[in-house]
Amino acid sequence: MGVLDIVPPGVLTGDNVRKLFEYAKEHQFAIPAINVTSSSTANAVLEAARDIQAPIIIQVSQGGAAFFAGKGLSNDKQQASIAGAIAAAHHIRTVAKEYGVPVVLHSDHCAKKLLPWFDGMLKADEEYFAQHQEPLFSSHMLDLSEEPKEENIATCVQYFKRMAPLGLWLEMEIGITGGEEDGVDNTGVDNSRLYTQPEDIWDVYSALSKICPNFSIAAAFGNVHGVYKPGNVRLHPELLNKHQLYAEDKLGGKKKKPLFLVFHGGSGSTKEEIKTAVQNGVVKMNVDTDTQWAYLCGIRDFIQNKSGYLQSQVGNPEGADKPNKKYYDPRVWVREGEKTLVERVKEACADLGNTNRL
């Protein structure tokens, strides 16, 4: 039995998201969540998933969503980020079924200061639900890890009560992911805050499970955003098993590995660290830094290799009157970036055991 025996192709919502994550946990694999900033990057992610027969998570950050809408728009009230996230969601919904793969459509880190962005997306979900009986997105992330634990959990509960009836999955973070990404800078945070305690995880589970089972927890185990060499960051994915065992004990041993866990700051991780995380209940791993680099590489190599054809509209090494349109047409060089991005997404899926799963 494969994934398509339990969920349909296209954007998933409601219990279908949980069914996918339950299947992943049961079969010991995880799904990469790839940040996209354009229809081009989104299409490349879908292409990769189709080619290796795998479900995929596509997500937009607040900054990525604003870029999707256009850097020429004002974003003083998060209006560009809201519009861009909605535009990305409609685009992905339109084409996802054509690729024949299940897609979890997600919004990435939303800190307290960005809650107006979250509110705008949730409003769009409610409006879409009124027409289609399902939300526009599959899931959203609240990242209030910089706030006191009590405030973090209380705010998540408040939003989850609104989200659950729509069939939205909630991802929350407790414990801080270090480093810097997309304008969120945690480079100076105390090292002890990079490791979440089992008691904190249980407090989250206890509060949210009373509302709905459709949520996941990004627990910190030394994670750092950005690029780094293996060994330069002290990841301890074995700690995730302690969270699972603690929750199992609190539940009286009735349910094994009850937590759906998320791996943030995965770029540069060793394959062994990834394997350990998946064994301990990670069902989603964020990938952004490495895929940004991959997208550039294809474009960079094309520009360098075809430099003589990109200096003017007419005239190249083949002759002074030879036209260059077939080289400078964006459909040509942007496609080269898509090709290298496709390969990097395939690699991320393979690292997580997410190939030939449909």
Side-chain angles (χ1 to χ4, degrees), residues 21 23-25 27-34 52 54-57 221 261-264 266-267 269-279 281-287 344-357:
F21 289 150
Y23 183 92
K25 190 159 50 167
H27 291 82
Q28 294 278 287
F29 72 95
I31 305 165
I34 313 296
I52 57 172
I56 198 72
I57 302 169
F221 52 96
L261 298 174
V262 177
F263 188 164
H264 285 190
S267 297
S269 303
T270 67
K271 296 188 187 305
E272 189 60 34
E273 288 166 341
I274 293 171
K275 181 180 177 182
T276 301
V278 172
Q279 289 173 341
V282 163
V283 295
K284 171 181 181 279
M285 187 175 96
N286 287 8
V287 183
R344 186 60 185 85
V345 173
K346 290 179 182 179
E347 180 184 342
C349 287
D351 287 345
L352 293 168
N354 182 38
T355 58
N356 296 312
R357 293 292 183 178

Side-chain angles (χ1 to χ4, degrees), residues 35 37-38 40-41 44 288-305 332-345:
N35 283 67
T37 56
S38 64
S40 170
T41 50
D288 186 19
T289 304
D290 290 349
T291 46
Q292 288 179 348
W293 173 250
Y295 190 69
L296 167 68
C297 286
I299 297 172
R300 176 203 64 194
D301 293 348
F302 178 82
I303 297 296
Q304 291 176 346
N305 293 335
V332 176
W333 52 268
V334 170
R335 177 57 184 164
E336 295 304 311
E338 292 175 357
K339 290 177 182 177
T340 44
L341 175 54
V342 164
E343 294 308 310
R344 186 60 185 85
V345 173

